[in-house]
Amino acid sequence: MLLDQPANVSLEDLEKIVRPLRAAERVAIMSGAGLSAESGIPTFRDTGNGLWADVDPMAVASIDGFYRDPAKVWAWHNDLRSRLAGATPNAGHRCIAELEALLAPAEVLVITQNIDGFHQEAGSHSVLELHGTVKRIRCHRQCGFAAPWEDVIPERCPSCGALVRPDIVWFGEALDSETLERAADAALAADVFFVIGTSGVVQPAAGLAVLAKDAGALVVEVNPGETNLTEFADYSARTSASEFLVALCRALRSAC
Ligand code: APR
């Protein structure tokens, strides 16, 4: 569905977003790896230093890869976990958390593809983790066992004896149906839907922005570059997540 080319949002044009935002009853913010890039965490597909630049995601982040070589999958995830352990949420995460207060009584829901837990750490209270989290491990058979991901990990599920794995959705696996349903409901109900720091190449996450657009939401993309979702955006802010979000929260505070 080709829409008019989005008006590029310069930071001075924020007013075009602040006005509908202040009138909104439901706001959804979908985030991707670009939001955490400013915390020092490489994205997946950015040329040069993307996490997928020098490793095959099907070998280290897919269900087939886990069956083939679970130790290799654990090693890659342990390396990512240690990178994340040394990083902290950035101003973009903190501004998204501040939107809950700035837009109250509107509902503000974060729908993240990220597994770093930074939204919760920055203070967001309503967060849907579409792809799971590096903070938790679970039974591969999904018998119900789950636990915080700490240094000592049981080889086998203490409840049923199946393999234990990171509580992360891998390539070749379905998303948690309840989480996806809640995310889709939020996209359908959103008055304003932000798409921040994602290339929009992975489904079903990327489809949520199209769902929101089709349902009448104002879609705002924040990304230094064009993406698969640009054509569905009413506005595209060609800037970094933190620069846009800091300016947006400043504008909302002054409009209070
Ligand atoms: N601010 C905003 N966006 C940024 C920034 C920044 N500072 N830096 C980079 N970006 C943008 C890039 O332009 C790119 O469009 O972030 C996007 C990152 O895209 P990907 O690396 O594809 O990450 P993401 O879209 O989150 O990937 C989705 O793919 O591999 C799977 O499960 C993984 O959740 C991940 C999913």
Side-chain angles (χ1 to χ4, degrees):
M1 175 184 66
L2 281 178
L3 294 171
D4 296 341
Q5 277 308 308
N8 272 335
V9 178
S10 66
L11 297 182
E12 292 68 46
D13 288 352
L14 270 179
E15 202 40 44
K16 298 175 188 170
I17 296 170
V18 165
R19 206 172 305 114
L21 204 45
R22 294 206 63 74
E25 291 178 5
R26 278 172 294 278
V27 175
I29 301 149
M30 184 165 85
S31 64
L35 176 62
S36 297
E38 293 164 270
S39 295
I41 304 301
T43 63
F44 291 96
R45 296 173 181 82
D46 277 348
T47 45
N49 71 337
L51 288 171
W52 297 151
D54 53 7
V55 73
D56 174 6
M58 297 307 141
V60 297
S62 77
I63 184 62
D64 292 340
F66 183 63
Y67 287 140
R68 222 176 7 256
D69 188 344
K72 185 172 189 174
V73 170
W74 271 112
W76 186 83
H77 284 82
N78 272 315
D79 173 58
L80 179 60
R81 181 172 169 262
S82 50
R83 281 178 193 240
L84 292 173
T88 55
N90 60 58
H93 296 100
R94 289 191 294 275
C95 285
I96 287 174
E98 188 185 356
L99 286 177
E100 290 178 11
L102 289 172
L103 298 178
E107 289 167 26
V108 177
L109 175 70
V110 174
I111 303 169
T112 189
Q113 300 173 89
N114 299 340
I115 59 174
D116 52 33
F118 283 175
H119 282 294
Q120 296 92 325
E121 211 175 310
S124 287
H125 296 96
S126 304
V127 181
L128 293 177
E129 293 175 309
L130 294 177
H131 297 160
T133 174
V134 76
K135 305 275 186 188
R136 207 172 36 241
I137 57 171
R138 68 167 170 82
C139 168
H140 180 57
R141 197 179 288 151
Q142 295 188 301
C143 74
F145 166 75
W149 183 340
E150 286 161 355
D151 292 341
V152 177
I153 295 167
E155 172 102 8
R156 290 280 170 176
C157 171
S159 304
C160 75
L163 284 173
V164 167
R165 51 166 291 168
D167 191 7
I168 291 169
V169 181
W170 287 325
F171 289 106
E173 292 189 306
L175 275 63
D176 173 72
S177 54
E178 187 191 335
T179 303
L180 183 57
E181 191 177 334
R182 288 179 60 196
D185 289 347
L188 288 168
D191 300 299
V192 181
F193 191 93
F194 287 97
V195 182
I196 300 177
T198 181
S199 57
V201 300
V202 168
Q203 297 295 355
L208 294 170
V210 184
L211 209 56
K213 183 64 198 167
D214 284 353
L218 177 83
V219 176
V220 180
E221 176 186 49
V222 182
N223 196 312
E226 285 214 9
T227 74
N228 282 19
L229 297 177
T230 299
E231 66 176 287
F232 302 103
D234 295 285
Y235 294 108
S236 282
R238 288 286 170 259
T239 179
S240 75
S242 62
E243 186 182 12
F244 174 84
L245 289 161
V246 166
L248 178 66
C249 282
R250 188 181 305 123
L252 286 167
R253 281 186 219 108
S254 61
C256 278

